[in-house]
Amino acid sequence: MDQESFDFWKFLAGTGMFMWGMHQLESAIREMAGKAFRNGMQRFTSNTLSAVLFGALVTAVLQSSSLVTLMVLAFLGAGVLSLRNAIGVMLGANLGTTMTSWIVATLGFKMSVESISTPFLGIGILLYLFFESRIKLRNIGLLLLGFGLMFLGLDFMKTSIEQIAYQLDLQKIAAFGNFAFLVVGIVVTALIQSSSAMVVIILSAMSAGMIGLHQGAILIIGANIGTTVTVGIGALGGTADKKRLALSHFVFNVATGLLVFFFVDELVDFSMRAFSVEDPLIELVMFNTLFNLLGIVVFFPFVPQYENWLKKWFAESEPKGFTQFIKNVSPKVPDVALNALEKEIQLVFDRTLNFIINVWDGGDASQDGMSIWRKILYKPVNLMDEYHQIKSLEDEITKYQIALQEESLSVEDSTKLTALQLALRTLVYSAKDIKDVMHNIRDMEDEEDRAVIAVHGKLRNYTMDFLDVLEDYMKLEKVPEKAPDWIGENAKQYKVWMADLYQELKVQPIEYPISTLNNVIKQVVSGLDNLCSAVIHWKHLKKDVIDIGR
């Protein structure tokens, strides 16, 4: 081939610009559509059919199946979406992503691509550079920039391929049969990591007369199979559900692709007769849509069985650690990550309350027939295990919070993250306050002195009642304008306890160390103060975030 007749670097630049444009478009949409996507996901994926329709619609609008995949994985990990409905969304996303080929076929080859790309690029770059502090305008600029790069890359690929339209001898490939075109489609898509870019290359080759409709259809099938490599690479080292979803994508695309491959001539001929399309480019994108729609029709009735089969895989990749939600959610999706983080704080809250209750009630060590020595030796070990689990949760959540801070957060999300960090910190402080005196509380249970028994009873009853109040407050749907003054109430109660204790000492001295009693009272009050501070930070953060949003 005459090297001067084909500008390889122009073709490579065009491919790069198209893929980079898709990447910028995806970044902008992720920032702008996160909450809308989450709300839609929660509302419109109640069953598998609605999940398929939602996946198709949202992918067609967002123009990024990889973005939809990332969101689905995040919601799957956060427990918002079941594996079955996640499969449904992914099936729909395969159909929705064909919208890219429709845009390219109807606009990219019918209009001046340069005239489309330059306004997008000009306005997009200016917005991105001069409105960096205005997040919404900056993201709009990034969105326009992404579209502009996509169209300009399309033009570069199209014009460079047209130069070799009459130079390339496809008979060498055709001599190996249809299977050769299938392999080319798979390999090239796997290498460039973009089925959308591959579809553009195929359409460009068809527009230049390099390949026919049937050959283009086979390349499209190969591109659909090759794109599973991208998802597979993304799942490497991921969680079990992430790998299961990648396997689901692989099995669906390969099975559908091979099924259509063996009947490709019949399907193309049927499409041409049924829709009477004369434009081969439109015919090809029509085939692409029918191909993916056929796959959904074939797979849809078997989704429940498909889900059960997938759950048998990758058990060894189940996320490790004490957290239940954040380990399955990427910090790259801040809106979803924050919701998972809030669920994790609820877990810490429940564990902290459980730990405090066990300290006062003795937990397993209070079983009838257990000797006093076994109580002393056995229960603290279990309590320390509980405390260390809380600390382990804190470590995992803190690492996640740090990773989340690296993302581009809105003021609203930053405020929410800060409040959750404070809630976590004060919850752990509360557990530590009680942990530091739990051995003293154990000793007080076995004392026979009337004053020590009285102090123990007052502290225990007050603590249990206080925990009930906090739990009821956590259940409130409408947050009061002003947070309760629990810390002030605790301070008053502390003074009453101390006054009662010293009044008791005037009547009857005790052998139990007074300093220990003072310390226990102080630590219990401090623990309750930290606990209520955590609830206030957490419960009132939603009201503060709403005010900021206004």
Side-chain angles (χ1 to χ4, degrees), residues 16-32 62-64 66-67 121 124-125 128 138-150:
M17 279 192 288
F18 186 88
M19 295 174 65
W20 182 246
M22 288 289 291
H23 176 75
Q24 298 305 313
L25 188 66
E26 180 179 317
S27 298
I29 292 174
R30 183 187 299 131
E31 295 290 335
M32 298 169 65
L62 299 183
Q63 281 296 290
S64 175
S66 56
L67 173 61
L121 289 171
I125 291 172
Y128 184 79
R138 178 179 177 274
N139 285 329
I140 291 174
L142 195 61
L143 186 77
L144 297 176
L145 177 61
F147 272 119
L149 287 171
M150 284 173 57

Side-chain angles (χ1 to χ4, degrees), residues 360-376:
W360 285 107
D361 281 353
D364 295 337
S366 63
Q367 297 176 33
D368 294 337
M370 186 174 287
S371 70
I372 184 63
W373 293 111
R374 196 173 167 200
K375 286 183 181 181
I376 294 173

